[in-house]
């Protein structure tokens, strides 16, 4: 690396470090400058983890929110500013991908039909199941019914749902898992003739 490039690199690192320190003290203008200077780099970091990711803007917003909240704890002795920020972006992307995998697994489990003693199941009777499922869903608390609709019918991301409901993404995941599980139990109870309603989360 030439002397000129080294000086330029050191100057860039120092500038980002200053912006992070100012952002850590609540300087919104400094944070805006930091965002403008690093957005493309963080975008590339997310795409390197998952080139086909579709909610990239949501992930960038979540990562920058973490950067804003933790800017005061940044230690320039342990990592450069851009390395620290890219690590946050990478971990945010990985966490989002894991949540999607868990959500898909939850939905598959909730909608699975148990094997009847190893025998080939009868053709699925939609006319029988449709009113049962509709009745069970109708008995859900209104907010949980709306949550299922947004997540699985309208395809709203977990991050978007967390902002809509004002709770962490992990809480959204837990609500979806528990609600789907209770729907499955109630549907099976109706099919088997049980009359005792199951409690809803």
């Amino acid at each position: 690396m030439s002397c000129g490039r080294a000086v330029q690199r050191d100057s860039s690192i120092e500038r980002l470090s200053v912006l992070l320190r100012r952002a850590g003290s609540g300087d919104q203008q400094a944070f805006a400058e930091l965002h403008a200077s690093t957005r493309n780099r963080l975008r590339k970091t997310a795409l390197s983890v998952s080139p086909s990711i579709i909610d990239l803007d949501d992930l960038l917003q979540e990562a920058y929110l973490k950067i804003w909240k933790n800017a005061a704890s940044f230690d320039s002795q342990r990592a450069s500013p851009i390395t620290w920020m890219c690590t946050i972006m990478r971990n945010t992307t990985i966490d989002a991908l894991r949540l999607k995998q868990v959500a898909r697994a939850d939905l598959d489990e909730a909608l699975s039909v148990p094997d009847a003693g190893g025998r080939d199941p009868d053709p699925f009777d939609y006319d029988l199941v449709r009113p049962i499922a509709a009745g069970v869903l109708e008995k859900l608390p209104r907010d949980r019914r709306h949550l299922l609709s947004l997540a699985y019918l309208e395809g709203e991301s977990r991050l978007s749902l967390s902002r809509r409901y004002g709770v962490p993404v992990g809480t959204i995941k837990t609500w979806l898992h528990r609600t789907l599980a209770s729907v499955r139990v109630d549907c099976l109870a109706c099919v088997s003739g049980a009359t005792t309603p199951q409690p809803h989360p």
Side-chain angles (χ1 to χ4, degrees):
M1 181 183 296
S2 68
C3 181
R5 289 184 178 179
V7 170
Q8 184 178 16
R9 178 177 180 275
D10 290 344
S11 175
S12 177
I13 291 175
E14 178 59 26
R15 175 174 174 271
L16 292 180
S17 296
V18 169
L19 290 175
L20 267 174
R21 286 196 295 271
R22 288 170 54 192
S25 64
D27 188 331
Q28 295 184 6
Q29 179 60 38
F31 184 74
E33 293 180 27
L34 184 71
H35 180 277
S37 299
T38 58
R39 179 181 174 84
N40 288 339
R41 180 68 179 274
L42 265 62
R43 179 183 290 272
K44 291 178 181 178
T45 298
L47 291 174
S48 72
V49 176
S50 177
S52 60
I53 198 161
I54 60 174
D55 50 354
L56 180 55
D57 288 339
D58 283 347
L59 289 177
L60 282 168
Q61 183 172 344
E62 182 178 1
Y64 274 107
L65 180 60
K66 292 177 181 178
I67 290 168
W68 168 260
K69 289 182 176 180
N70 294 284
S73 66
F74 168 69
D75 183 356
S76 60
Q77 299 300 315
R78 300 182 62 182
S80 71
I82 196 64
T83 297
W84 182 74
M85 295 174 69
C86 285
T87 298
I88 291 176
M89 182 75 255
R90 182 175 182 276
N91 291 340
T92 299
T93 305
I94 291 173
D95 289 344
L97 293 173
R98 286 174 177 165
L99 282 174
K100 284 187 176 182
Q101 292 171 353
V102 170
R104 283 196 296 268
D106 287 346
L107 182 58
D108 290 342
E109 178 184 355
L111 299 180
S112 64
V113 179
D115 190 315
R119 301 187 300 274
D120 291 336
D122 294 331
F124 195 75
D125 191 341
Y126 285 96
D127 289 336
L128 171 65
V129 173
R130 187 178 293 110
I132 292 175
V136 169
L137 291 172
E138 187 63 30
K139 292 179 181 179
L140 286 174
R142 184 176 180 180
D143 61 334
R144 298 305 167 83
R145 188 167 65 250
H146 189 217
L147 178 66
L148 289 183
S149 176
L150 291 171
Y152 297 114
L153 298 182
E154 300 183 26
E156 190 164 331
S157 72
R158 302 301 181 270
L159 177 59
S160 177
L161 288 171
S162 73
R163 291 200 297 265
R164 178 189 291 271
Y165 284 86
V167 297
V169 171
T171 300
I172 292 294
K173 183 195 75 170
T174 298
W175 285 354
L176 288 171
H177 175 76
R178 291 179 178 175
T179 304
L180 285 172
S182 70
V183 166
R184 180 173 184 269
V185 169
D186 284 359
C187 284
L188 292 175
C190 289
V191 170
S192 65
T195 57
T196 303
Q198 299 296 321
H200 293 289

